[in-house]
Amino acid sequence: MTRTPTSPPQKDTAPARPAARPQRDLFYLDSPLTSEIRGERSLMAFPFFALSKTAWMKPLTYQHANVAIEVRPSAKGVATIYDKEIVLYIASLMAGKIERSEEVGQDFIFTAHDLFSVTGANHSARSYQRLSEALERLQGTQIKTNIEAGGEGEEGFFSWLSEARLHYSKTRSGERRLKAVKVRLCDWLHRAILRDKQVLAYAAAYFQLGPVERRIYEVACATAEEGRLEIDLATFRLQVGYQNPLANFRAAMKAIAQADAIPDYQVALVEDAEAEEPAEGRGRGRRAPSAKVIITARPKALSEPSGEDANHLEA
């Protein structure tokens, strides 16, 4: 009996589908941050951000010695000291990459969850809304300065972020879930961190400070030589970026010195009753006594490792 040969079973020639990856892996995340928060020295020393929790719609200017800064608001206002938290987070991610000898570009991708965990923000819907508004201000604020970065100067204005995007996914119910934040850091700050390597560590308690206290801490870290800074009150007001009258700043400094809550530093306001300083907007009325601010580094605890306050990146 002859058997008719049968054809071999046909194989499925359709291309195989790649194995599904978790949504988190769709982005090559630069977060979470595994090192401490750090910032670039010039951004600590000088007033680039508004000391406000609400929208600040007026331009900011700083002109002292040989440093000039002009900051113009967007339709949403000037980037604030709280928006600066995002810049610090990006700078810290970048510093970590440099230390690990990784390729360092200007694009960074991170999750809001990781950012909030570092800065101490809650993970509420309002925090995500604030994040969106902060990114818009960082991208829209225009900055012009004669401070050189990476051995190069710039003419004209730049923004902290040349690109800022929030990437969402949707659940079956149609709810949006934020997956990642993608930003592109401006050339000026990228050069400063990459080439100048003037990067300083921040105390973890920085994020619990108010706006003025944050600036006092930053100025102290960036400018206190051998752990001490002595400066007249009027000049210090300019460097902090305090926009209200000098009399208000004097009252604020008295309260801050009394509270003694600046991390790593002690602040004193010393007034000279014999010397007088101009009273803003008072005409020929009584002038306030001259005053100076003295900031000294707190003695390091015996349990703390020794080392310089400035953490310079290795070349």
Side-chain angles (χ1 to χ4, degrees):
M1 178 175 170
T2 304
R3 295 186 179 180
T4 303
T6 58
S7 300
Q10 296 295 316
K11 293 184 178 180
D12 186 3
T13 57
R17 294 182 179 180
R21 292 189 299 173
Q23 285 188 344
R24 183 180 179 87
D25 294 335
L26 294 177
F27 296 95
Y28 296 96
L29 295 173
D30 296 302
S31 64
L33 180 68
T34 56
S35 60
E36 59 197 347
I37 283 288
R38 284 169 285 183
E40 198 277 328
R41 182 186 289 272
S42 293
L43 261 63
M44 299 177 80
F46 301 108
F48 285 95
F49 295 84
L51 302 184
S52 174
K53 284 188 175 181
T54 57
W56 183 270
M57 304 305 298
K58 299 178 182 178
L60 302 176
T61 58
Y62 174 84
Q63 184 81 44
H64 183 71
N66 60 343
V67 175
I69 298 170
E70 181 181 353
V71 183
R72 293 180 180 177
S74 68
K76 297 292 184 179
V78 170
T80 72
I81 193 73
Y82 293 96
D83 301 337
K84 186 178 184 178
E85 294 177 356
I86 300 172
V87 177
L88 294 178
Y89 188 76
I90 297 168
S92 303
L93 291 173
M94 183 174 173
K97 281 189 169 188
I98 294 172
E99 290 179 340
R100 295 189 298 271
S101 300
E102 297 178 7
E103 184 178 351
V104 182
Q106 290 177 246
D107 293 334
F108 294 87
I109 303 176
F110 56 90
T111 66
H113 181 276
D114 294 329
L115 171 67
F116 295 159
S117 297
V118 169
T119 60
N122 58 47
H123 299 268
S124 66
R126 180 57 185 144
S127 292
Y128 285 90
Q129 178 61 32
R130 289 194 185 108
L131 171 60
S132 178
E133 295 168 356
L135 290 171
E136 189 171 352
R137 282 190 294 269
L138 289 169
Q139 189 176 12
T141 298
Q142 297 287 298
I143 307 100
K144 183 178 182 181
T145 181
N146 64 353
I147 300 175
E148 294 183 353
E152 297 181 22
E154 288 188 10
E155 288 289 342
F157 288 83
F158 64 88
S159 298
W160 297 119
L161 303 177
S162 58
E163 180 181 328
R165 297 181 182 179
L166 297 175
H167 289 268
Y168 290 93
S169 63
K170 280 193 176 182
T171 64
R172 292 181 179 179
S173 62
E175 180 185 2
R176 292 201 307 177
R177 295 280 180 84
L178 179 60
K179 294 195 305 181
V181 182
K182 182 178 180 181
V183 299
R184 177 166 294 173
L185 192 62
C186 66
D187 295 341
W188 184 85
L189 186 52
H190 184 265
R191 287 199 314 272
I193 297 173
L194 186 62
R195 300 182 191 175
D196 296 336
K197 300 179 174 63
Q198 295 291 305
V199 178
L200 309 179
Y202 275 69
Y206 169 84
F207 298 105
Q208 281 72 57
L209 300 176
V212 179
E213 289 87 346
R214 290 187 182 200
R215 283 297 299 139
I216 292 172
Y217 171 79
E218 289 183 321
V219 173
C221 286
T223 63
E225 297 182 3
E226 298 183 355
R228 180 180 172 86
L229 173 65
E230 185 171 330
I231 185 172
D232 71 88
L233 184 66
T235 302
F236 192 59
R237 169 178 167 265
L238 294 177
Q239 195 156 2
V240 167
Y242 193 87
Q243 296 297 308
N244 291 327
L246 185 60
N248 297 59
F249 186 58
R250 179 192 298 268
M253 288 302 303
K254 285 182 179 179
I256 290 169
Q258 185 174 7
D260 192 27
I262 304 296
D264 303 332
Y265 294 93
Q266 293 175 313
V267 178
L269 179 67
V270 180
E271 296 182 303
D272 184 357
E274 295 183 0
E276 294 183 345
E277 58 191 15
E280 297 176 352
R282 295 182 183 177
R284 296 184 177 181
R286 183 178 178 181
R287 294 190 173 188
S290 177
K292 62 183 177 181
V293 176
I294 300 176
I295 300 177
T296 53
R298 299 180 189 275
K300 290 189 176 296
L302 296 178
S303 59
E304 292 182 2
S306 60
E308 296 181 354
D309 291 337
N311 292 332
H312 298 286
L313 298 176
E314 295 295 333

